[in-house]
Structure formats: C-alpha cells, structure tokens
Amino acid sequence: MGDAGTARSAIMIADAWVLPGVTGGKQGLLRILVDQGAPILRESLTRLAELRDPQEVLASASRAAREEHGSVIRVLLTTAPHDETAAEGLRSSTKRYRSTLAAIAKHLHELVEGMDARSLIRAG
C-alpha cells in the first residue's frame, strides 16, 4: 500500500479510535501533526550551527529535515485536497521546510566559499 493508502488508513483508524478523544476532531489531529513537524525543523537548524564539514551538513541536517518531516508532509499532501485545515497546515509546513532548507543551503555556501571544487569532489 503506497503513501496515499497508508494515509487514508491512518485517517480511517483515527476517525474510529483517536478522534473522539482529540479536541477538535480530525482538524485537531491535523494541527497536532503540523505542530510536531516544527520542532524537527528547529532541531535541524540548531544542529546546523555546529556542523563544519559540508558532507556532514548534507548527511545530517538536510537528511534529518527531509526524512523526519517527510511523513507529516505526505499525510498533509494526501489530505489537503479534501480538507482546508490540512491545506493550511501543508502551506505553513512547506514554508517552514523551505526556510530550513534555505538556511542549510546558505550554511553550505558559507562553508565551501573559496574552496577549490576539485578538493570538495575528492573529499566525497
């Protein structure tokens, strides 16, 4: 079952078992998912300041942001066409995600600025 099938299954299970106890029903659950993505991206940015090796930046901060936040985005992508709360969550999550990736790209640029491209290739 693909991501869309998994997301639909998760929502059906949530409807039956979880939603009665979540304030705000399905919209409340979606807000919780969106809110849980923010700390993941903040952690990537915090860790980014410590990294000085370009390969480590790519392997650590960039990868963590993509992998950890990706599951939230997949659920929102599946749900957004049918639910305005999910659509708004997708917009705000995408904005945060892009901002994080821009900070990672800027940090990488600062690390490699002035380096010889051949030395970067050989290091990899």
Side-chain angles (χ1 to χ4, degrees):
M1 185 179 344
D3 289 335
T6 302
R8 276 193 296 279
S9 296
I11 289 169
M12 289 182 346
I13 291 168
D15 279 343
W17 297 96
V18 178
L19 291 181
V22 173
T23 303
K26 191 181 296 182
Q27 284 75 23
L29 184 59
L30 288 169
R31 281 189 200 98
I32 290 169
L33 278 174
V34 170
D35 291 345
Q36 286 180 344
I40 293 165
L41 296 177
R42 270 195 304 277
E43 183 179 315
S44 288
L45 288 175
T46 300
R47 174 136 168 74
L48 183 64
E50 303 166 0
L51 302 176
R52 296 286 167 240
D53 176 17
Q55 290 181 348
E56 192 176 359
V57 170
L58 289 173
S60 182
S62 176
R63 183 177 179 196
R66 188 179 64 254
E67 288 179 352
E68 298 296 325
H69 195 62
S71 58
V72 172
I73 293 294
R74 283 189 292 279
V75 169
L76 293 173
L77 281 168
T78 302
T79 312
H82 313 288
D83 186 284
E84 183 53 37
T85 301
E88 178 54 39
L90 180 60
R91 285 188 290 274
S92 65
S93 291
T94 300
K95 185 177 178 179
R96 264 195 310 264
Y97 180 71
R98 287 178 178 166
S99 176
T100 300
L101 290 182
I104 290 169
K106 181 179 181 218
H107 186 65
L108 274 171
H109 176 74
E110 291 167 356
L111 290 176
V112 301
E113 194 171 30
M115 292 178 119
D116 179 29
R118 289 177 296 233
S119 68
L120 290 172
I121 294 168
R122 278 190 289 260

